[in-house]
Amino acid sequence: MFDFIKDNLILNDPLILGANISIVFTVIGIVATLTYFKKWKWLWNDWITSVDHKKIGIMYILAALIMLFRGGVDALLMRAQLTVPNNEFLTSHHYNEIFTTHGTIMILFMAMPFLLGLMNVVVPLQIGARDVAFPYLNNLSFWSFMFGAILFNMSFVFGGSPDAGWTNYAPLAIEGSPGPGINYYLLGLQISGIGTLLTGINFVVTIIKMRAPGITLLRMPMFTWTTLITAFIIVFAFPILTVTLALMTFDRLFGTHFFTLTDGGNPMLWSNLFWLWGHPEVYIVILPAFGIFSEIIATFARKTLFGYKSMIISLAAISLLSFVVWVHHFFTMGGSAALNSVFSITTMAIAIPTGIKIFNWLGTLYKGRIEFTVAMMWSVAFIPTFLIGGVTGVMLGMAAADFQYHNNYFLVAHFHYTLIAGVVFACFAGLVYWYPKMFGLKMNERIGKWAFWFFSIGFNVCFLPQFVLGFAGMPRRVYTYGPEDGWTALNVISSVGAFGMGVGFMIIVYNVYYSYRYGKREETGDAWDGRTLEWATSSAIPPHYNFAHVPEVKSVDAFYYMKQEGEVPSRENVEYKPIHMPSNAGTPFIMSGFFFVAGFGLVFELWWMAILALIGIFGCMAFRSLSSHKQDEGYYVSVEEIEKTENPNKREA
Amino acid sequence: MFNKFKPYLIVLISLVSLFFIIIFSSGSEMIVLDPKGPVGAVQKDLIMLSIYYMLGIMVVVLSFFTVILLKYRSSKKSDYKPEMHGSTKLEIIWTLIPVLIVIALSIPNTKALYELSEPPKATAHKDPIVIHATAVDWKWIFSYPEEGIETVNYVNVPEDHPILFKVTAADSMASFWVPQIGGQIYGMPGMVNDLYLQADEPGTYDGRNSNFTGEGMTHQKFDFVAMEEAKYEEWVKDVQAGEPKLTEKTYEKLMLPGTVEEMTFSSTHLSIVDHGKNSEYAFAIREKYGATENSHGADVDAGSAHDGHGSHEVNEGHDSHGNEGGQDDQENHKSHEGHEH
Amino acid sequence: MAHSTNVDPNTPLEYQTDIGKLNIFGFWIFLGAEVALFATIFATYFALEGGTVGGPLPGELFDLKNTIIMTLLLLISSFTSGLSINELRRRNVKGMMVWLIITLLFGAGFLYMEISEFLHLIHEGAAIGTNAYWSSFYLLTGTHGLHVTLGILWIILVMFQVKKRGLNPDTAKKLFVSSLYWHFLDFVWIFVFTSVYLLGMVG
């Protein structure tokens, strides 16, 4: 046992050793603080076992911010290495690990949970529901994501990180990578994928079945629409990932021949299956981002969303097209001219619905009263930057030209222009916009603007030169280059920009602290003069049951019209009825813990551990089945408690 | 005071950054946009066409964007229509325009794809020279079956003559790319992809593997040397007469992961193994020699990859791929033998 | 989430509560995900169908009679599972339990035959690691078989709950959902039967 730990704990790399030590100190610090303030029980009862969608959402976002930090440090290390030619800051091996974890973490453990977090907080409120359809499952979703993320992140201090790129292509990931790294990738993603799939099912059912009276499908806020479509994509795309990861796990652990070079296996099958999931995955993260921008732009242009129906049609079109473009990720694999031109056309066709959306946002801004709050600035900045990402996407979609862009920095710049300008801007915008809903206070606007300018200018300075580097022939994933390549100047600029983005992120973190310390607490639920139902709650942070009376909705922009028509439900002299709520659950946490142990056992091929943990997982499932009737009974919030929550000042007065 | 100037300051910072990016961009050679062969030219034309279209789109959208943002700021008190929820006419227009653009780009793209799948038209009267390009971690092996010669990490070709590269790999999936001559194609074990290339003027062009294949991928480069037809033929004869045969043992050593110097042989590996059919060969050899790509023994490997880099730089100075290269290559070959571990 | 107050007594038991309705709808969506899962596995199977190097060919080993019996077993079990839901609608616990036990017996028979087929194949030199074809064969049939195993365990668990707590909207919902699952497995098997065994015999 001791030998096992000694063999796998990485102590010979100063960077990782430093990380090791800081992790140990952080854990000790957290444990000590929790013990000192006697907060363990609070942590367990109020957070870990909570089924409240708002709290789960906050936990998702917190986890995502930590992962953004980790992925961001990876990015800065890469930029540091590439700043000057023939740099010896990182070895090739270490650089490979870092770009692999950077990509995987940013997509799967940062962008996805951030957006799932915002969906969790906002969507049930937007449709006037008390919680999601399956609150128990929601808790399980979060914890299996979390334990999957922990398993994946453990790799860099224990056993070594995966180093075959986030796309993890065979044969490199099978024949070319012994050791536990790739196993960590396969199992970490597998476990968190379970959580994502369950979330997808949960939100499909929630949105279809649990809308408040009057919210027809065509009265749903745009963010709810994007969530619904995203949830459908998840339901149909994530099983592909589950199978794909399982197949490679079998290849690596049990000697099967799916993607192997020997005995009839086919490495190209991995590329196909991976991108069959991978391309829809891109839209799983970008569509909710579109939803967030739609909400914010409508709110701060003080106008209803332009072209609501064409927005929905284009969403549906994008989601369908997302399943038929996967071949564009490997035009260079030797497909025939006919095949490549068909996939070029489907790829470029995605620009049509996306273009419609861009014009609709412009239409929303047109003849509005635009207020440049921080949330709005992120959303407005999204339009031109994402446009660059979009048009370069069309260029990449042309297969004949792609032979020159493929695998070089033009591609790298393109997808960062879509994923950062699209997703990361949306995450920041959504965080600022819904911050008062989560924490009862606004983030400081002045500091927020500093963060915005640092990050957005830094972003362009970082990635604009990379388009040019692509034309200069710099391939992606190289850990260094020579001075004779002529790439130095642009790489220096790019690194400066990356540093600016880092500063922007630190300012956002500081803003969280500053606002907590000095921010003015919101007194109403309507922090921004909002248009949708989440702003109609009785207090800044909605009570755990969300609405004492389920609101009735007569149009899109439900809350805006309530305010216009003077129909905002009054809180004076209202009769309340007891509200039924689901109870907290501890089993999902324990079950996800078993998933983690089983994953760890498989990573190191410790069969006994994996089998014991699998028994534990099935035990938890059986326990859930046997006890679900008690769990589902939930409890009732009493009328007194509701009255106290709804009118806190009444008694004082 | 500061607040008043802040917007200008931000615009200034943005413009200054943009200025630097443009200045430094012009300093680096955009070799993709400066092709030296018909294949690269087709691709460059397509790229430029798409860039013009995309710039057009950007100009239109960004003009609307700027005007709207300036005009409808809340402080301006411009025309305000909060209930305006759409316009079928406008929405149809901005659906149709992108449709037309996609069609306009699809046609030249499809044409180019078919054009690239055949030898270049200008030299259609010449028979293409067939060269097998095989990627092995982390080197490129070129076999000239007709001429019966084989080179490692460089390839000599005659100018103005179509070359048919039959690209494959012994182990990882690699991508064969000579940016200034034309776009890339994957080489995969057990499979062969065809790629036509042609150089229009003599010169040495950078070629490389652009697909990630592990630790040594960064240094998996080769020189693509185009020379006058007569010189090329002379070189072929010299190699046939003066270079050693490729023995099975030497070839087996080439299968081990690592970087090597340039080498030249007067026979090809095609009689030893066909990587286009046999995807297991390299791994069987590695097993025989007890060498694996152990990502676990990271530091050792990284060190050797670094050594490879050092020797690569030595390589840069040595530019005689041509006539009298025989002797040097012999020496390189020996140093390679010593390099194995 | 709350129990609906005015329930039409003609509504099937499993649909009488909101939670029952949500669970059943949610399960349909889950089956949608299962379809995507099996579709991927079928795609893998077809992609690797030619990878038969170094092992026996499927046509040499498959025993059509055996698989036809397996198919019949599963088809009949699907039918008896339907009958048990019929009894559930009539609130006849005993009849329902009898049909469920018959369903399980047929299911177990199917599993027994599948496992003995696997053992036979392995004996003949067609194991999961033999080549790409056999890997994908075991992947497809094995995933289905695993689903059947889980289905059997699950139905036993639900029967146990019915025994303990009687018929109520909660247990009725579980019975209904587990029978949906069972029908789904039957549905998938039809595709396995045609694309693996029938086509395998031909090819």
Side-chain angles (χ1 to χ4, degrees):
Chain A
M1 194 66 203
F2 180 72
D3 280 345
F4 170 70
I5 294 173
K6 206 178 72 186
D7 286 347
N8 286 298
L9 201 59
I10 298 175
L11 299 170
N12 52 7
D13 185 305
L15 282 170
I16 295 175
L17 185 66
N20 269 334
I21 294 168
S22 55
I23 289 170
V24 170
F25 278 112
T26 316
V27 169
I28 292 174
I30 292 172
V31 171
T33 317
L34 285 170
T35 313
Y36 182 78
F37 290 104
K38 298 195 171 71
K39 287 287 189 188
W40 283 104
K41 215 174 160 189
W42 164 81
L43 189 69
W44 177 259
N45 288 334
D46 279 19
W47 291 94
I48 292 176
T49 62
S50 174
V51 294
D52 182 345
H53 67 96
K54 300 178 286 297
K55 285 187 174 169
I56 290 177
I58 289 171
M59 290 194 286
Y60 263 122
I61 292 171
L62 201 63
L65 283 170
I66 294 170
M67 288 293 99
L68 179 59
F69 175 73
R70 158 89 210 263
V73 170
D74 284 349
L76 287 177
L77 288 174
M78 284 191 280
R79 282 315 322 164
Q81 165 67 17
L82 289 179
T83 308
V84 290
N86 293 337
N87 199 352
E88 291 182 21
F89 173 58
L90 298 176
T91 62
S92 166
H93 177 74
H94 199 173
Y95 185 85
N96 298 343
E97 291 186 333
I98 285 177
F99 75 66
T100 303
T101 52
H102 169 76
T104 316
I105 285 176
M106 284 302 199
I107 295 273
L108 285 143
F109 300 128
M110 192 291 284
M112 291 253 298
F114 210 127
L115 294 164
L116 292 181
L118 291 172
M119 285 176 193
N120 260 296
V121 171
V122 176
V123 168
L125 287 165
Q126 280 196 333
I127 60 172
R130 292 261 143 78
D131 204 323
V132 292
F134 309 117
Y136 179 95
L137 220 52
N138 205 17
N139 185 288
L140 179 62
S141 287
F142 172 73
W143 284 112
S144 59
F145 147 73
M146 194 64 200
F147 277 107
I150 294 173
L151 183 65
F152 182 87
N153 277 280
M154 235 178 89
S155 62
F156 92 109
V157 290
F158 196 79
S161 296
D163 58 356
W166 89 279
T167 49
N168 205 44
Y169 272 13
L172 182 63
I174 298 175
E175 281 90 350
S177 304
I182 305 291
N183 295 351
Y184 269 120
Y185 171 96
L186 295 169
L187 290 148
L189 262 57
Q190 187 69 281
I191 292 169
S192 69
I194 297 168
T196 312
L197 179 61
L198 295 179
T199 305
I201 296 173
N202 213 339
F203 275 96
V204 169
V205 179
T206 306
I207 295 172
I208 290 186
K209 290 284 182 184
M210 295 183 64
R211 300 188 306 273
I215 308 187
T216 58
L217 282 177
L218 289 181
R219 285 180 192 164
M220 292 199 312
M222 196 44 65
F223 184 56
T224 303
W225 256 112
T226 55
T227 303
L228 177 63
I229 303 231
T230 306
F232 270 112
I233 305 182
I234 289 177
V235 168
F236 290 106
F238 263 75
I240 305 176
L241 177 70
T242 305
V243 172
T244 312
L245 293 172
L247 298 192
M248 194 183 275
T249 313
F250 291 161
D251 274 358
R252 286 181 59 91
L253 300 183
F254 307 123
T256 54
H257 295 285
F258 296 108
F259 309 126
T260 56
L261 284 173
T262 52
D263 296 318
N266 188 348
M268 283 185 289
L269 184 63
W270 168 272
S271 331
N272 277 283
L273 290 177
F274 182 85
W275 286 113
L276 255 171
W277 160 78
H279 204 85
E281 164 68 15
V282 173
Y283 290 91
I284 290 171
V285 293
I286 202 74
L287 292 185
F290 287 169
I292 293 169
F293 293 130
S294 299
E295 298 289 332
I296 294 173
I297 289 175
T299 303
F300 294 109
R302 305 284 167 221
K303 251 185 86 195
T304 191
L305 192 65
F306 195 91
Y308 176 83
K309 278 185 193 155
S310 65
M311 282 293 211
I312 296 168
I313 295 168
S314 54
L315 275 177
I318 292 176
S319 69
L320 293 177
L321 283 172
S322 75
F323 280 93
V324 292
V325 297
W326 80 95
V327 169
H328 73 215
H329 294 275
F330 39 83
F331 281 141
T332 51
M333 212 180 244
S336 67
L339 180 89
N340 281 350
S341 60
V342 167
F343 279 93
S344 287
I345 293 169
T346 55
T347 303
M348 284 192 272
I350 289 191
I352 300 165
T354 315
I356 295 173
K357 297 186 87 68
I358 298 253
F359 282 112
N360 278 336
W361 287 313
L362 289 179
T364 311
L365 292 167
Y366 177 68
K367 300 207 171 177
R369 282 270 156 86
I370 305 170
E371 286 168 36
F372 286 101
T373 59
V374 173
M376 185 63 161
M377 286 166 79
W378 287 110
S379 311
V380 166
F382 150 78
I383 294 174
T385 26
F386 188 77
L387 185 68
I388 297 178
V391 295
T392 50
V394 174
M395 292 167 70
L396 277 157
M398 300 169 72
D402 181 69
F403 296 146
Q404 286 283 26
Y405 304 128
H406 188 71
N407 271 338
N408 74 29
Y409 265 80
F410 190 87
L411 170 78
V412 174
H414 155 72
F415 68 70
H416 282 93
Y417 260 89
T418 54
L419 286 173
I420 294 184
V423 183
V424 178
F425 281 20
C427 290
F428 289 155
L431 181 68
V432 173
Y433 183 60
W434 283 304
Y435 201 80
K437 201 67 344 198
M438 292 184 263
F439 302 106
L441 54 109
K442 286 181 185 166
M443 279 175 121
N444 184 287
E445 286 276 304
R446 191 173 49 85
I447 301 176
K449 282 180 185 169
W450 277 104
F452 167 79
W453 286 116
F454 263 100
F455 195 90
S456 60
I457 294 179
F459 162 72
N460 282 291
V461 171
C462 181
F463 290 102
L464 215 47
Q466 295 188 0
F467 285 117
V468 185
L469 281 172
F471 285 130
M474 179 166 171
R476 69 193 290 208
R477 293 175 170 176
V478 292
Y479 79 98
T480 192
Y481 53 90
E484 69 283 356
D485 289 317
W487 302 328
T488 314
L490 288 170
N491 271 302
V492 171
I493 298 183
S494 186
S495 297
V496 170
F499 180 72
M501 292 167 79
V503 172
F505 176 74
M506 293 321 290
I507 297 177
I508 290 174
V509 174
Y510 171 72
N511 200 3
V512 170
Y513 162 78
Y514 181 91
S515 311
Y516 171 75
R517 192 74 197 274
Y518 305 105
K520 193 165 91 34
R521 267 56 184 170
E522 290 291 317
E523 278 154 14
T524 69
D526 190 10
W528 306 107
D529 191 11
R531 311 175 70 82
T532 39
L533 272 188
E534 76 267 32
W535 305 109
T537 55
S538 56
S539 49
I541 305 177
H544 60 112
Y545 50 77
N546 291 352
F547 298 98
H549 277 286
V550 174
E552 290 229 15
V553 169
K554 290 179 185 153
S555 66
V556 251
D557 292 331
F559 189 48
Y560 171 76
Y561 283 100
M562 283 179 189
K563 286 187 279 192
Q564 289 279 302
E565 309 291 324
E567 287 176 358
V568 179
S570 144
R571 272 187 279 153
E572 304 293 316
N573 311 316
V574 206
E575 291 260 330
Y576 294 110
K577 282 190 203 136
I579 296 173
H580 179 251
M581 291 302 289
S583 354
N584 284 0
T587 332
F589 179 78
I590 296 165
M591 189 165 149
S592 306
F594 279 125
F595 269 118
F596 174 82
V597 176
F600 184 83
L602 288 174
V603 167
F604 287 98
E605 305 183 31
L606 304 167
W607 307 121
W608 59 271
M609 189 190 271
I611 290 168
L612 283 181
L614 278 174
I615 294 171
I617 293 167
F618 284 113
C620 286
M621 286 164 80
F623 177 75
R624 161 67 182 168
S625 179
L626 290 171
S627 62
S628 69
H629 58 289
K630 283 182 209 141
Q631 187 85 42
D632 289 347
E633 260 172 28
Y635 65 98
Y636 281 88
V637 185
S638 67
V639 173
E640 295 86 66
E641 194 189 330
I642 299 171
E643 262 171 7
K644 214 165 91 189
T645 322
E646 293 294 305
N647 293 313
N649 305 326
K650 206 168 170 185
R651 227 160 268 191
E652 289 160 34
Chain B
M1 194 60 194
F2 177 68
N3 274 338
K4 202 173 158 191
F5 289 112
K6 207 162 62 182
Y8 301 103
L9 197 68
I10 286 162
V11 171
L12 193 71
I13 292 173
S14 311
L15 287 180
V16 168
S17 324
L18 198 62
F19 175 75
F20 273 107
I21 293 172
I22 291 168
I23 289 294
F24 284 112
S25 305
S26 55
S28 70
E29 292 171 66
M30 293 199 244
I31 51 176
V32 168
L33 301 181
D34 180 23
K36 302 290 185 203
V39 175
V42 167
Q43 283 157 338
K44 182 218 160 186
D45 291 345
L46 194 64
I47 290 172
M48 292 317 292
L49 176 79
S50 65
I51 287 181
Y52 296 137
Y53 269 97
M54 296 307 138
L55 282 179
I57 294 171
M58 299 243 330
V59 167
V60 172
V61 176
L62 291 184
S63 323
F64 278 125
F65 176 77
T66 315
V67 170
I68 290 172
L69 280 196
L70 291 177
K71 192 161 173 207
Y72 298 103
R73 278 180 296 167
S74 57
S75 53
K76 282 268 179 175
K77 306 272 180 243
S78 302
D79 200 8
Y80 176 47
K81 287 203 175 147
E83 308 291 331
M84 187 175 75
H85 57 77
S87 150
T88 318
K89 205 163 70 185
L90 277 176
E91 285 164 51
I92 289 174
I93 292 176
W94 62 53
T95 312
L96 282 181
I97 294 176
V99 169
L100 293 177
I101 294 177
V102 168
I103 293 172
L105 289 174
S106 294
I107 294 168
N109 176 50
T110 306
K111 268 191 192 155
L113 278 171
Y114 279 95
E115 200 180 331
L116 294 178
S117 62
E118 284 160 14
K121 277 199 196 94
T123 50
H125 56 283
K126 296 184 189 171
D127 272 342
I129 296 175
V130 175
I131 300 177
H132 291 253
T134 308
V136 191
D137 287 348
W138 294 285
K139 42 194 123 33
W140 282 100
I141 299 172
F142 297 95
S143 324
Y144 301 64
E146 310 252 319
E147 291 77 6
I149 59 179
E150 180 142 316
T151 59
V152 177
N153 283 353
Y154 78 95
V155 58
N156 285 2
V157 300
E159 62 165 333
D160 282 327
H161 200 121
I163 317 287
L164 171 57
F165 282 98
K166 295 205 157 283
V167 184
T168 184
D171 38 29
S172 305
M173 184 167 80
S175 192
F176 176 84
W177 190 31
V178 191
Q180 220 162 353
I181 302 297
Q184 63 201 292
I185 198 119
Y186 280 174
M188 289 169 286
M191 220 184 121
V192 179
N193 280 327
D194 289 354
L195 178 69
Y196 286 102
L197 290 179
Q198 178 182 320
D200 284 345
E201 35 186 287
T204 302
Y205 306 99
D206 291 333
R208 73 183 315 144
N209 162 30
S210 69
N211 200 51
F212 181 62
T213 54
E215 292 198 11
M217 171 261 183
T218 302
H219 305 301
Q220 194 174 355
K221 300 190 213 173
F222 61 92
D223 282 335
F224 183 98
V225 187
M227 43 180 68
E228 284 158 21
E229 193 106 32
K231 255 189 162 179
Y232 167 77
E233 270 156 27
E234 201 180 321
W235 171 78
V236 169
K237 277 190 196 123
D238 283 351
V239 172
Q240 284 166 339
E243 295 291 341
K245 298 263 178 221
L246 174 64
T247 62
E248 191 157 352
K249 185 140 187 270
T250 313
Y251 194 66
E252 285 181 353
K253 290 245 166 106
L254 279 175
M255 292 298 107
L256 305 178
T259 46
V260 296
E261 300 295 321
E262 295 182 354
M263 296 180 206
T264 315
F265 303 100
S266 58
S267 70
T268 71
H269 75 265
L270 300 174
S271 58
I272 301 171
V273 59
D274 179 0
H275 292 289
K277 295 219 173 71
N278 184 348
S279 57
E280 307 181 11
Y281 179 77
F283 293 98
I285 299 298
R286 279 172 209 178
E287 212 156 293
K288 186 169 137 193
Y289 283 81
T292 51
E293 288 167 67
N294 195 341
S295 63
H296 218 48
D299 297 319
V300 183
D301 275 359
S304 77
H306 189 73
D307 286 348
H309 180 62
S311 55
H312 180 82
E313 278 195 86
V314 174
N315 216 359
E316 295 286 323
H318 146 101
D319 57 344
S320 54
H321 313 289
N323 307 331
E324 78 280 36
Q327 282 262 288
D328 290 315
D329 286 318
Q330 281 274 28
E331 274 164 32
N332 284 340
H333 185 208
K334 272 184 207 132
S335 75
H336 157 70
E337 294 274 354
H339 192 71
E340 292 302 334
H341 42 116
Chain C
M1 220 149 296
H3 297 269
S4 307
T5 36
N6 306 316
V7 178
D8 179 358
N10 291 326
T11 314
L13 208 48
E14 64 272 17
Y15 281 104
Q16 284 188 1
T17 58
D18 284 345
I19 205 159
K21 286 182 213 162
L22 286 179
N23 281 355
I24 293 168
F25 183 68
F27 198 78
W28 277 108
I29 305 293
F30 171 74
L31 288 183
E34 285 270 55
V35 169
L37 182 110
F38 275 104
T40 314
I41 294 177
F42 273 105
T44 306
Y45 176 81
F46 285 119
L48 298 176
E49 213 175 9
T52 50
V53 287
L57 290 172
E60 297 164 6
L61 298 187
F62 288 160
D63 177 0
L64 197 58
K65 207 178 86 191
N66 208 34
T67 29
I68 288 176
I69 297 173
M70 282 166 73
T71 310
L72 283 177
L73 284 177
L74 211 57
L75 277 175
I76 295 170
S77 82
S78 192
F79 180 67
T80 55
S81 162
L83 289 178
S84 80
I85 295 303
N86 196 38
E87 295 300 323
L88 165 70
R89 293 277 155 78
R90 292 163 57 191
R91 315 256 161 121
N92 176 1
V93 177
K94 205 173 153 206
M96 187 194 73
M97 291 296 229
V98 169
W99 284 122
L100 278 180
I101 289 168
I102 294 172
T103 306
L104 291 184
L105 286 177
F106 277 107
F110 170 87
L111 263 188
Y112 173 78
M113 290 189 70
E114 181 159 59
I115 290 168
S116 36
E117 191 207 357
F118 284 179
L119 291 177
H120 169 72
L121 289 176
I122 292 168
H123 183 73
E124 295 287 328
I128 192 163
T130 302
N131 58 32
Y133 173 81
W134 289 109
S135 291
S136 57
F137 168 83
Y138 284 103
L139 170 76
L140 180 50
T141 51
T143 310
H144 179 266
L146 188 69
H147 274 73
V148 174
T149 317
L150 291 179
I152 291 175
L153 293 176
W154 182 19
I155 292 175
I156 292 174
L157 202 65
V158 174
M159 285 170 70
F160 173 75
Q161 290 178 48
V162 175
K163 192 93 190 140
K164 205 169 146 201
R165 308 207 318 267
L167 268 192
N168 57 37
D170 180 56
T171 48
K173 168 199 82 190
K174 290 182 179 180
L175 287 164
F176 183 72
V177 166
S178 57
S179 97
L180 275 183
Y181 182 75
W182 197 259
H183 291 312
F184 172 75
L185 296 182
D186 187 41
F187 167 78
V188 172
W189 179 257
I190 300 297
F191 286 92
V192 176
F193 176 65
T194 39
S195 50
V196 177
Y197 291 97
L198 288 185
L199 288 178
M201 295 294 285
V202 175

